Amino acid sequence: MGCCRGGPRPIIPDTMPSMVKEVAPPRWSRVNGWSKPFDPFQVVAWAMFLTFVLAMFCVFIPMLPHDWQYITYAVTSGGFVLHYIAYVTAMTIDPAEASVRCKIYGAPRPSFDHAHQAHVIQDQYCSLCDAIVSMKAKHCRTCNKCVSGFDHHCKWMNNCVGSRNYWWFFGSIASAFTGLLGIIAVVMYILIQHFINPEALREDPHYEAISSQGTWLLFLPFFPVRTKTLVVVSIEMFVLLLASLCLVVITYLLFFHIYLLGNGLTTLSYVKRGSEQTSKASVLSSNLPTAKQADNPLSSARSVSLVTVVMPMCQECFFWTVFCHGLLWNGHIEADQRVEI
């Protein structure tokens, strides 16, 4: 509550009125990932989590040898619980600045509009939140509030990731990474056994009453449902493909954030740096000599020098471009947030 009883109101720069001449219609600021509307990516994340839980506990683990089942149940349950706690906590925490949290949720606030506003934060004052914010704060257009230590807006969580919930976010992708590795290992073992030794997958006592080798049981041991081999193999292939695709994305995100942590960067600062290097590379490449200047020794030397400078930048820009295209798909950061302060 102390943030609402701050000291004297700061003197707002004379340029502030020009920053808010025209704004989009006021709208309610989002509190966290539970604020509606839910993002489609968020719904997909929930659906995939439930799919993996049901597949592991109702289909795959009951097929394992008895000696493996108890440890697999324990490890899998622990992994799912850890991931659930980290994900839900990161989604539930309000990442807004302390000075913003205590004053913006009582009524609709002016919203950020790039068409009419270049910046909304000047001298650490946000004209939309009407609050003093920290140096690393950024006003998120989606959540319509200033986020403390802004890293990115995550569509999978439907929430901003900032300094208040970053480690919970990191824990969620780290736990997802290890969990997906475990799922893939179990499914691969079962899929291989289907073609090598299917009898090793039929150790459950319920199979004693089944004579057909082409009949399998799902939802063991409490609600056995009979099905055919083709159905079971199709489920295995589908889960294996889904888990592999998820692992590719999660692996990229995990090691990317490890890289950011090792270099003291955030997603926003990394994208800004890539954008600046792209602009510099474009300027340098525009000054490269033409073919008519190739016979000039001085021009050739200048060309070699420029290429030496431009090529490393192009490699960095290539990685940044691929990275940004990936973000447009997975919601790591929105395009309208790349260069906003």
Side-chain angles (χ1 to χ4, degrees):
M1 296 301 293
C3 62
C4 298
R5 301 193 302 269
R9 183 184 177 87
I11 298 176
I12 309 304
D14 295 337
T15 58
M16 195 60 62
S18 63
M19 296 168 56
V20 291
K21 287 182 180 178
E22 298 181 73
V23 296
R27 59 188 178 90
W28 292 92
S29 298
R30 302 182 68 258
V31 179
N32 52 32
W34 300 104
S35 301
K36 296 180 180 179
F38 295 132
D39 194 280
F41 286 94
Q42 182 185 23
V43 177
V44 170
W46 293 344
M48 288 191 296
F49 180 80
L50 292 176
T51 298
F52 290 134
V53 170
L54 291 175
M56 287 297 291
F57 288 106
C58 300
V59 179
F60 301 136
I61 297 181
M63 291 183 178
L64 297 177
H66 285 296
D67 295 339
W68 298 6
Q69 286 188 12
Y70 297 108
I71 185 64
T72 307
Y73 274 124
V75 172
T76 304
S77 299
F80 279 132
V81 170
L82 286 176
H83 175 71
Y84 178 82
I85 292 174
Y87 176 88
V88 171
T89 303
M91 187 178 71
T92 303
I93 290 176
D94 181 359
E97 285 273 321
S99 59
V100 172
R101 293 197 302 272
C102 62
K103 67 186 301 182
I104 67 170
Y105 299 125
R109 306 292 302 181
S111 55
F112 180 56
D113 187 354
H114 260 299
H116 303 111
Q117 298 163 288
H119 304 288
V120 296
I121 298 178
Q122 182 171 320
D123 297 331
Q124 294 182 241
Y125 173 81
C126 178
S127 58
L128 299 184
C129 295
D130 189 25
I132 298 295
V133 297
S134 62
M135 288 291 293
K136 294 184 178 181
K138 179 196 173 297
H139 192 92
C140 175
R141 181 184 180 189
T142 302
C143 295
N144 197 32
K145 63 184 180 185
C146 283
V147 175
S148 176
F150 181 87
D151 186 88
H152 68 278
H153 181 87
C154 180
K155 292 185 177 181
W156 296 108
M157 294 180 175
N158 197 28
N159 195 20
C160 276
V161 175
S163 58
R164 300 192 72 229
N165 63 345
Y166 180 84
W167 286 108
W168 290 105
F169 162 79
F170 186 84
S172 71
I173 58 177
S175 59
F177 173 78
T178 56
L180 287 168
L181 286 178
I183 292 173
I184 291 175
V186 171
V187 177
M188 283 292 294
Y189 168 81
I190 293 175
L191 189 61
I192 292 172
Q193 287 294 85
H194 259 296
F195 297 98
I196 297 178
N197 183 22
E199 284 299 317
L201 305 176
R202 304 168 67 91
E203 294 186 2
D204 191 277
H206 289 82
Y207 280 105
E208 294 177 358
I210 299 177
S211 58
S212 174
Q213 297 297 316
T215 300
W216 294 84
L217 297 176
L218 306 180
F219 302 100
L220 291 172
F222 303 110
F223 308 101
V225 176
R226 297 193 179 196
T227 187
K228 299 298 182 181
T229 302
L230 180 61
V231 174
V232 175
V233 174
S234 298
I235 293 174
E236 294 166 2
M237 295 295 293
F238 170 76
V239 173
L240 181 62
L241 178 61
L242 180 62
S244 299
L245 292 175
C246 291
L247 183 63
V248 171
V249 177
I250 291 296
T251 301
Y252 168 77
L253 288 178
L254 177 61
F255 284 94
F256 174 72
H257 279 276
I258 291 175
Y259 167 82
L260 293 181
L261 290 171
N263 289 272
L265 298 171
T266 64
T267 300
L268 180 64
S269 61
Y270 176 86
V271 173
K272 280 186 175 182
R273 187 181 69 174
S275 179
E276 292 171 356
Q277 291 184 349
T278 302
S279 300
K280 292 178 182 178
S282 298
V283 172
L284 290 174
S285 61
S286 65
N287 293 327
L288 288 173
T290 62
K292 294 181 179 180
Q293 297 173 315
D295 295 332
N296 189 328
L298 294 178
S299 296
S300 300
R302 183 169 180 266
S303 174
V304 171
S305 177
L306 283 174
V307 169
T308 302
V309 175
V310 172
M311 284 306 293
M313 290 186 177
C314 289
Q315 293 174 359
E316 175 72 12
C317 293
F318 172 77
F319 176 75
W320 174 79
T321 302
V322 174
F323 165 68
C324 283
H325 277 81
L327 300 186
L328 292 176
W329 173 71
N330 67 25
H332 204 57
I333 187 171
E334 294 184 294
D336 61 1
Q337 297 175 334
R338 287 183 308 189
V339 295
E340 170 58 16
I341 294 176

